Amino acid sequence: MSNKHFDLVVIGSGPGGYIAALKAAERGASTAIIERHPFYGGTCLNWGCIPSKALLATAELSHEIGHAKEMGLDLTGEVTVNWTRVQKRKDKILTKLRGGIKGLLAARKVVGYQGLGVLDGEGRVVITNDDGSAKETITTDRVILATGSTPVRIPGWPTDTNFVCTSDESLHWDTLPKKLLIVGGGVIGCEFACMLQPFGVDVTIVEMMPKLLPGMDGSLADELAKVFKSRGIKCLLSTRVEDMGIKDDAVNVRFGDGNSDTFDRVLVAVGRRPATSGIGLDTVGIKLNDRGFIETDDTLLTARKKYYAIGDANGKCLLAHAASAHGVSAVESALGHPRAFDSPIPFAVYTFPEVAGVGLTHEEAHARGIPISVGLFPLGHLGKAMAVGDT
Ligand code: NAD
């Protein structure tokens, strides 16, 4: 037991939490950050944006090499994938960045605690071990909850992650599958398909909605579907997975259209759910919405005064850069300068070509009766696109 007291405690060290902690310390608040894992960075650095970008960079290079001849290069010899080296390169980047965050927090005198941060009534936070036993209790005037989210796993589907896994495991695979089914053609499904196909993986995406990237501009999804088709990535749209089972070291999948197929591995990418259970929210009266995310107002304040929720945990926008922006906003609010967070947040899907947007899609504008005009410019007519051989 200790009686350390802080002006502000941040729970979770992803791009929401560590940016909030740095900001609070910069503003002169005595600040602590609690992280359950033995390293900083959360999903973005350890199971998301950064490892996926590292793997994508190798995949894109491999894809480019495939077009060397048309760019005027004659390559002799075979290009083969050394997956162990691809993984090692990625791991080196993660290690360096984890150290970078640690250094930044130390430089601003943010006190770090390793363990699960659990609220324990007004102004108290217990840091617990994995078995739930208390390590230490600290007190604080303000709390920022930045506990993030975890991938959705479908109940009833096999739980052996060597066969049926989520993005958490797939970014750190020891070996590549030969034939992969990706369930969900959303952001993660499309990014992983694009990343894995150049490594020689036979990829199929199954998406229950009629288009890839549902919720984004439909014409962008149509273009992406054409690109995927040209690369041999199969897309089963308007198709559900009925069930799946493991037999003879393979996954047998039955689809809603009556067809079945067998895959070495399945990646489930059907969304993420908030990491909000077991952290004592009820001890201070913090409310969840009907999707299980922490309910906040525009200033990211929860139902409890001086307790804020940012990033994936509040469900407003599951993007790393949104979490960081929330972090800055919540610190300003917590330290006495309430600020509504109402900026439009741009997004980018890291396929190649990339898909990006900001604000309403034209479908959403139509639905709200907002008159719009649509401008289109085909990449096939664009000088830069022709010059780099990517129309
Ligand atoms: P998502 O919501 O983007 O996509 C999930 C997809 O799965 C949807 O298209 C949905 O229709 C489909 N689906 C759901 N159940 C299904 C089923 N049983 N069978 C077939 N299809 C099914 O979720 P995600 O791709 O898992 O990503 C999770 C979150 O992470 C998203 O909020 C995303 O924005 C975020 N993310 C963002 C980036 C980025 O910005 N570049 C990268 C990765 C993740």
Side-chain angles (χ1 to χ4, degrees):
M1 189 71 102
S2 89
N3 53 5
K4 280 201 193 103
H5 183 84
F6 295 91
D7 294 331
L8 190 147
V9 167
V10 180
I11 304 183
S13 75
Y18 86 81
I19 292 292
L22 289 173
K23 190 74 193 168
E26 184 193 290
R27 287 276 187 271
S30 63
T31 306
I33 190 163
I34 307 170
E35 170 54 57
R36 67 186 306 184
H37 291 103
F39 38 74
Y40 291 125
T43 299
C44 172
L45 174 46
N46 300 292
W47 303 277
C49 324
I50 304 297
S52 68
K53 294 310 155 294
L55 301 183
L56 266 164
T58 306
E60 200 166 350
L61 179 60
S62 165
H63 173 80
E64 299 266 321
I65 289 170
H67 293 267
K69 200 170 179 124
E70 60 199 67
M71 299 294 286
L73 297 178
D74 287 325
L75 299 185
T76 51
E78 207 187 331
V79 177
T80 53
V81 179
N82 185 324
W83 184 246
T84 306
R85 279 224 304 276
V86 174
Q87 284 286 333
K88 272 194 181 149
R89 173 182 172 276
K90 178 255 311 170
D91 289 339
K92 210 168 143 187
I93 296 166
L94 305 197
T95 304
K96 189 162 180 187
L97 287 170
R98 286 169 185 156
I101 297 175
K102 197 173 174 184
L104 284 171
L105 291 167
R108 293 218 185 144
K109 306 209 168 7
V110 174
V111 179
Y113 291 94
Q114 200 254 310
L116 185 70
V118 182
L119 305 180
D120 183 31
E122 177 80 43
R124 279 163 58 90
V125 184
V126 182
I127 297 125
T128 67
N129 295 302
D130 283 348
D131 64 5
S133 59
K135 260 185 180 174
E136 195 164 347
T137 298
I138 56 178
T139 56
T140 180
D141 295 330
R142 305 160 187 86
V143 172
I144 293 185
L145 297 157
T147 50
S149 64
T150 56
V152 167
R153 294 175 203 260
I154 309 271
W157 288 5
T159 52
D160 182 343
T161 52
N162 291 310
F163 292 97
V164 180
C165 58
T166 68
S167 51
D168 276 3
E169 296 88 25
S170 321
L171 288 165
H172 304 289
W173 277 336
D174 290 337
T175 59
L176 282 167
K178 284 196 178 63
K179 188 174 168 189
L180 172 74
L181 176 71
I182 301 179
V183 184
V187 184
I188 293 183
C190 288
E191 289 185 355
F192 272 75
C194 212
M195 176 211 301
L196 291 166
Q197 179 272 335
F199 292 127
V201 180
D202 176 0
V203 180
T204 302
I205 298 175
V206 56
E207 165 57 53
M208 65 185 186
M209 302 301 280
K211 286 182 194 251
L212 296 173
L213 300 176
M216 293 188 191
D217 187 299
S219 59
L220 291 175
D222 292 340
E223 291 304 315
L224 193 65
K226 282 187 220 160
V227 171
F228 279 6
K229 191 171 179 202
S230 73
R231 293 191 192 150
I233 297 169
K234 293 174 273 297
C235 297
L236 309 174
L237 302 176
S238 303
T239 307
R240 280 176 176 276
V241 169
E242 286 297 317
D243 55 46
M244 60 176 80
I246 301 169
K247 198 178 165 209
D248 301 331
D249 276 351
V251 193
N252 295 327
V253 180
R254 203 160 56 84
F255 298 105
D257 58 8
N259 291 321
S260 301
D261 205 346
T262 301
F263 300 85
D264 299 333
R265 259 174 246 171
V266 174
L267 162 57
V268 180
V270 296
R272 299 181 63 89
R273 66 162 52 100
T276 49
S277 64
I279 55 168
L281 297 178
D282 50 328
T283 71
V284 288
I286 291 178
K287 294 191 174 53
L288 301 180
N289 65 21
D290 51 7
R291 294 182 303 138
F293 292 95
I294 300 174
E295 192 77 57
T296 69
D297 69 8
D298 288 350
T299 65
L300 309 171
L301 180 67
T302 67
R304 183 70 175 213
K305 224 172 129 193
K306 297 195 175 172
Y307 284 70
Y308 295 80
I310 63 171
D312 289 10
N314 71 23
K316 289 182 191 290
C317 177
L318 276 69
L319 296 174
H321 53 283
S324 299
H326 282 176
V328 172
S329 220
V331 166
E332 296 291 357
S333 298
L335 297 181
H337 308 283
R339 225 168 86 160
F341 187 89
D342 52 8
S343 329
I345 301 169
F347 69 86
V349 183
Y350 293 92
T351 45
F352 42 93
E354 290 168 1
V355 176
V358 66
L360 298 180
T361 62
H362 77 250
E363 290 92 340
E364 286 164 341
H366 277 311
R368 293 192 198 180
I370 300 170
I372 55 160
S373 57
V374 177
L376 289 175
F377 191 89
L379 287 177
H381 297 183
L382 184 68
K384 172 77 194 287
M386 282 187 243
V388 301
D390 202 0
T391 53

